[in-house]
Amino acid sequence: MAKIKSMIGCEISTTEIRAVEVTRHDNNYRILAMGYVPLADGIIDEGFIRDADKFNESITQLIGSGNFQSTNVCVGVNNENVIMRYATFPKVDTDKLRNMVMLQAQEFIPIPISEMELDFVIAKETKSQENMDEYNVMLIGARGQMLEGYINNFTAARLTINDIDSSLLAYVRAVKPVADGQKYLLVNCTDDVLNFIVVKDDQIDMVRSITIPEKNRYAVSQLFKTGIEEEDLDTARTFLMSETSSTITYFSMQNDLPIEKVYFISNTKYDDQILPLIQENIAIPVEIPSLYPEYQSEGIDNINKYAACISVAISGLEG
């Protein structure tokens, strides 16, 4: 099989498609192209592509106008059709662990396994109360119908999906160099879901994902648009503050080692008005991390907007 020279990392939300093409040379990565295209209301709804023709027009426009050369794509997804759950299993070899996870996954996933595509990552090693070695495993499930829609539509646009990744885990990989060994809470707000994940180095201690409640959904969606009403801004940032605070409180009650920092990553247009309210209500430093500084020096504006795209593209090149 011919070696892939470059990979397009793509992240899809309800409001836009973002993409970055990355190439590798001697373990150094370089950006070849990047861009985004907005999506009209109704093209994607609840994570599903509802208007295939307009979606294909949008992705074709993005790839064509952005000077992208590759046709190989890794897609990052993060919506209400992606479910993450913790489970604990005895420490066994990889093949046995995979069999155990797949056999018992239905106990942890609230949707019929027949409708899901499943994978897992080992979050950390631990000990049971009987002092037996165990794995804390994070199960990752995505609705097969949603994934099939992405595959079919990218194929129709003459692109090949090499892998479908979790955008949340892509952000975790991007934050790792910045965190420098600290235990941190990553807060990732999209127009579909609100994610929390506690990480130290390569160990994941907690993951929590919330589908934006109906009473808050409109206000949160307006964070991604220009010209939000003050009432909606207050509603959205109060919701984000409350959920962040309650997540930290819950984690602190269950764990001895405290969270040292909160990293807030989103593509809202009002982060500078959201963070102060969160900071006022928790005693942990809150900041927007500066991701991929090596590319910021190249004059790329708002590299955090493309961090998940870069991360999934690099993961795809590494195979």
Side-chain angles (χ1 to χ4, degrees), residues 25 38 42 44-45 57 77 79 81 98 107 111 120 132 152 162-163 165 185 192 199-200 218 242 261 274 287 289 313:
H25 180 69
I44 292 183
D45 181 49
E57 288 176 10
V77 294
N79 56 54
N81 296 292
R98 176 166 289 278
E107 299 176 18
I111 295 172
F120 70 94
M132 301 294 290
N152 291 341
N162 290 65
D163 192 20
D165 197 356
L185 170 66
D192 297 305
V199 185
K200 179 177 173 61
Y218 177 79
S242 176
K261 183 166 285 190
I274 295 171
E287 67 178 59

Short mmCIF file of all heavy atoms in Angstrom, two decimals, residues 25 38 42 44-45 57 77 79 81 98 107 111 120 132 152 162-163 165 185 192 199-200 218 242 261 274 287 289 313:
data_model
loop_
_atom_site.label_atom_id
_atom_site.label_comp_id
_atom_site.label_asym_id
_atom_site.label_seq_id
_atom_site.Cartn_x
_atom_site.Cartn_y
_atom_site.Cartn_z
N HIS A 25 7.23 15.02 7.64
CA HIS A 25 8.57 14.78 7.10
C HIS A 25 9.54 14.67 8.28
O HIS A 25 9.69 15.62 9.05
CB HIS A 25 9.01 15.92 6.16
CG HIS A 25 10.37 15.72 5.59
ND1 HIS A 25 10.66 14.74 4.68
CD2 HIS A 25 11.54 16.38 5.83
CE1 HIS A 25 11.94 14.80 4.35
NE2 HIS A 25 12.50 15.78 5.04
N PRO A 38 -19.23 27.71 6.52
CA PRO A 38 -20.43 27.66 7.38
C PRO A 38 -21.48 26.74 6.78
O PRO A 38 -21.54 26.54 5.56
CB PRO A 38 -20.90 29.12 7.41
CG PRO A 38 -20.36 29.72 6.16
CD PRO A 38 -19.06 29.02 5.88
N GLY A 42 -30.26 23.36 9.32
CA GLY A 42 -30.97 22.19 8.81
C GLY A 42 -30.13 21.22 8.03
O GLY A 42 -30.57 20.09 7.78
N ILE A 44 -27.25 19.86 9.02
CA ILE A 44 -26.97 18.86 10.05
C ILE A 44 -27.87 19.14 11.23
O ILE A 44 -27.97 20.28 11.70
CB ILE A 44 -25.49 18.89 10.46
CG1 ILE A 44 -24.61 18.41 9.30
CG2 ILE A 44 -25.26 18.01 11.69
CD1 ILE A 44 -23.14 18.35 9.63
N ASP A 45 -28.52 18.11 11.71
CA ASP A 45 -29.41 18.27 12.86
C ASP A 45 -29.28 17.03 13.74
O ASP A 45 -29.31 15.89 13.24
CB ASP A 45 -30.87 18.42 12.39
CG ASP A 45 -31.83 18.60 13.56
OD1 ASP A 45 -31.55 19.45 14.43
OD2 ASP A 45 -32.83 17.88 13.60
N GLU A 57 -22.26 20.01 -1.36
CA GLU A 57 -21.86 21.29 -1.95
C GLU A 57 -20.89 22.03 -1.03
O GLU A 57 -19.91 22.61 -1.48
CB GLU A 57 -23.11 22.16 -2.18
CG GLU A 57 -23.99 21.70 -3.33
CD GLU A 57 -25.26 22.54 -3.43
OE1 GLU A 57 -25.34 23.58 -2.73
OE2 GLU A 57 -26.16 22.18 -4.20
N VAL A 77 -15.70 13.69 15.25
CA VAL A 77 -17.12 13.88 15.54
C VAL A 77 -17.33 14.07 17.03
O VAL A 77 -16.61 13.51 17.86
CB VAL A 77 -17.98 12.70 15.03
CG1 VAL A 77 -17.95 12.62 13.53
CG2 VAL A 77 -17.54 11.39 15.65
N ASN A 79 -21.02 14.82 18.99
CA ASN A 79 -22.41 15.25 19.08
C ASN A 79 -23.17 14.27 19.95
O ASN A 79 -22.58 13.38 20.56
CB ASN A 79 -23.04 15.38 17.68
CG ASN A 79 -22.93 14.09 16.87
OD1 ASN A 79 -23.36 13.02 17.32
ND2 ASN A 79 -22.35 14.18 15.67
N ASN A 81 -24.84 11.79 19.34
CA ASN A 81 -24.79 10.39 18.91
C ASN A 81 -23.48 9.71 19.25
O ASN A 81 -23.26 8.56 18.87
CB ASN A 81 -25.03 10.31 17.40
CG ASN A 81 -26.41 10.78 17.01
OD1 ASN A 81 -27.40 10.14 17.33
ND2 ASN A 81 -26.49 11.92 16.35
N ARG A 98 -10.41 -6.83 24.78
CA ARG A 98 -11.35 -6.42 23.73
C ARG A 98 -12.59 -7.31 23.73
O ARG A 98 -13.72 -6.84 23.63
CB ARG A 98 -10.67 -6.45 22.36
CG ARG A 98 -11.62 -6.13 21.20
CD ARG A 98 -10.87 -5.83 19.93
NE ARG A 98 -10.19 -4.55 20.00
CZ ARG A 98 -10.76 -3.38 19.78
NH1 ARG A 98 -12.05 -3.31 19.47
NH2 ARG A 98 -10.06 -2.28 19.87
N GLU A 107 -24.05 -3.31 29.07
CA GLU A 107 -24.33 -2.97 30.46
C GLU A 107 -24.07 -1.48 30.74
O GLU A 107 -24.61 -0.93 31.70
CB GLU A 107 -23.47 -3.81 31.40
CG GLU A 107 -23.71 -5.31 31.30
CD GLU A 107 -22.77 -6.09 32.19
OE1 GLU A 107 -22.19 -5.48 33.13
OE2 GLU A 107 -22.57 -7.30 31.96
N ILE A 111 -27.98 2.60 24.70
CA ILE A 111 -28.57 2.44 23.37
C ILE A 111 -28.24 1.03 22.90
O ILE A 111 -27.15 0.52 23.18
CB ILE A 111 -27.98 3.48 22.39
CG1 ILE A 111 -28.37 4.90 22.82
CG2 ILE A 111 -28.45 3.24 20.95
CD1 ILE A 111 -27.68 6.00 22.04
N PHE A 120 -12.77 1.41 22.37
CA PHE A 120 -12.46 1.74 23.74
C PHE A 120 -10.99 2.15 23.85
O PHE A 120 -10.17 1.84 22.98
CB PHE A 120 -12.73 0.55 24.68
CG PHE A 120 -11.77 -0.60 24.50
CD1 PHE A 120 -10.63 -0.71 25.30
CD2 PHE A 120 -12.00 -1.58 23.55
CE1 PHE A 120 -9.74 -1.76 25.15
CE2 PHE A 120 -11.12 -2.64 23.38
CZ PHE A 120 -9.99 -2.74 24.18
N MET A 132 -6.45 -6.46 43.30
CA MET A 132 -6.24 -7.08 41.98
C MET A 132 -6.03 -5.98 40.94
O MET A 132 -6.66 -4.92 41.01
CB MET A 132 -7.44 -7.94 41.60
CG MET A 132 -7.75 -9.06 42.58
SD MET A 132 -6.45 -10.31 42.62
CE MET A 132 -6.68 -11.06 40.99
N ASN A 152 -20.87 7.93 3.42
CA ASN A 152 -21.52 8.01 2.11
C ASN A 152 -21.37 9.40 1.49
O ASN A 152 -21.12 9.55 0.28
CB ASN A 152 -23.00 7.66 2.23
CG ASN A 152 -23.23 6.20 2.53
OD1 ASN A 152 -22.34 5.37 2.32
ND2 ASN A 152 -24.40 5.87 3.04
N ASN A 162 -10.43 7.78 6.07
CA ASN A 162 -9.49 6.78 6.60
C ASN A 162 -9.81 6.39 8.03
O ASN A 162 -9.51 5.27 8.46
CB ASN A 162 -8.06 7.30 6.52
CG ASN A 162 -7.55 7.40 5.09
OD1 ASN A 162 -8.07 8.18 4.30
ND2 ASN A 162 -6.55 6.60 4.74
N ASP A 163 -10.39 7.32 8.79
CA ASP A 163 -10.72 7.03 10.17
C ASP A 163 -11.74 8.06 10.66
O ASP A 163 -11.81 9.18 10.15
CB ASP A 163 -9.46 7.09 11.05
CG ASP A 163 -9.69 6.51 12.44
OD1 ASP A 163 -10.67 5.74 12.61
OD2 ASP A 163 -8.91 6.81 13.36
N ASP A 165 -12.73 9.73 14.33
CA ASP A 165 -12.14 9.89 15.65
C ASP A 165 -13.08 10.70 16.54
O ASP A 165 -14.02 11.35 16.06
CB ASP A 165 -10.79 10.62 15.49
CG ASP A 165 -9.88 10.49 16.71
OD1 ASP A 165 -10.30 9.90 17.72
OD2 ASP A 165 -8.74 10.98 16.62
N LEU A 185 -9.01 19.79 34.04
CA LEU A 185 -10.35 19.58 33.51
C LEU A 185 -10.45 20.30 32.18
O LEU A 185 -10.26 21.52 32.12
CB LEU A 185 -11.40 20.11 34.47
CG LEU A 185 -12.85 20.17 33.93
CD1 LEU A 185 -13.39 18.78 33.67
CD2 LEU A 185 -13.77 20.92 34.90
N ASP A 192 -23.77 21.51 20.10
CA ASP A 192 -24.57 20.29 20.30
C ASP A 192 -24.44 19.74 21.71
O ASP A 192 -25.43 19.35 22.33
CB ASP A 192 -24.14 19.19 19.31
CG ASP A 192 -24.36 19.58 17.87
OD1 ASP A 192 -25.50 19.92 17.54
OD2 ASP A 192 -23.41 19.54 17.08
N VAL A 199 -8.02 14.84 33.04
CA VAL A 199 -6.87 14.13 32.49
C VAL A 199 -5.61 14.51 33.25
O VAL A 199 -5.45 15.66 33.68
CB VAL A 199 -6.68 14.47 30.99
CG1 VAL A 199 -5.56 13.64 30.38
CG2 VAL A 199 -7.97 14.26 30.21
N LYS A 200 -4.71 13.55 33.40
CA LYS A 200 -3.35 13.82 33.85
C LYS A 200 -2.43 12.94 33.02
O LYS A 200 -2.55 11.71 33.06
CB LYS A 200 -3.15 13.53 35.33
CG LYS A 200 -1.71 13.79 35.82
CD LYS A 200 -1.60 13.56 37.32
CE LYS A 200 -0.15 13.66 37.80
NZ LYS A 200 0.43 14.99 37.54
N TYR A 218 -31.11 27.08 22.64
CA TYR A 218 -31.11 28.25 21.77
C TYR A 218 -30.05 29.25 22.21
O TYR A 218 -29.28 29.76 21.39
CB TYR A 218 -32.48 28.93 21.76
CG TYR A 218 -32.50 30.21 20.93
CD1 TYR A 218 -32.60 30.15 19.55
CD2 TYR A 218 -32.38 31.45 21.54
CE1 TYR A 218 -32.58 31.30 18.78
CE2 TYR A 218 -32.36 32.62 20.78
CZ TYR A 218 -32.45 32.54 19.40
OH TYR A 218 -32.43 33.69 18.65
N SER A 242 -22.48 26.86 35.80
CA SER A 242 -23.11 25.95 36.74
C SER A 242 -22.66 24.51 36.50
O SER A 242 -22.32 23.78 37.45
CB SER A 242 -24.63 26.05 36.62
OG SER A 242 -25.27 25.11 37.44
N LYS A 261 -6.10 22.74 37.12
CA LYS A 261 -6.39 23.81 36.16
C LYS A 261 -7.59 23.42 35.31
O LYS A 261 -7.86 22.23 35.10
CB LYS A 261 -5.17 24.08 35.26
CG LYS A 261 -5.36 25.23 34.29
CD LYS A 261 -4.04 25.67 33.68
CE LYS A 261 -3.21 26.46 34.66
NZ LYS A 261 -2.03 27.08 34.01
N ILE A 274 -17.39 34.65 28.85
CA ILE A 274 -17.79 33.43 29.55
C ILE A 274 -16.81 33.09 30.67
O ILE A 274 -17.20 32.79 31.80
CB ILE A 274 -17.90 32.25 28.56
CG1 ILE A 274 -19.02 32.50 27.55
CG2 ILE A 274 -18.12 30.94 29.30
CD1 ILE A 274 -19.05 31.50 26.41
N GLU A 287 -8.34 28.95 31.98
CA GLU A 287 -7.73 29.65 30.85
C GLU A 287 -8.06 28.94 29.55
O GLU A 287 -8.45 27.77 29.53
CB GLU A 287 -6.22 29.77 31.00
CG GLU A 287 -5.46 28.45 30.92
CD GLU A 287 -3.96 28.65 31.04
OE1 GLU A 287 -3.51 29.20 32.06
OE2 GLU A 287 -3.25 28.23 30.10
N PRO A 289 -6.25 27.41 26.53
CA PRO A 289 -4.88 27.00 26.24
C PRO A 289 -4.42 27.51 24.89
O PRO A 289 -5.22 27.68 23.97
CB PRO A 289 -4.96 25.47 26.25
CG PRO A 289 -6.37 25.17 25.85
CD PRO A 289 -7.20 26.27 26.46
N ALA A 313 -5.74 14.72 12.03
CA ALA A 313 -4.90 14.52 10.84
C ALA A 313 -3.57 13.86 11.22
O ALA A 313 -3.11 12.92 10.55
CB ALA A 313 -4.64 15.85 10.14
#
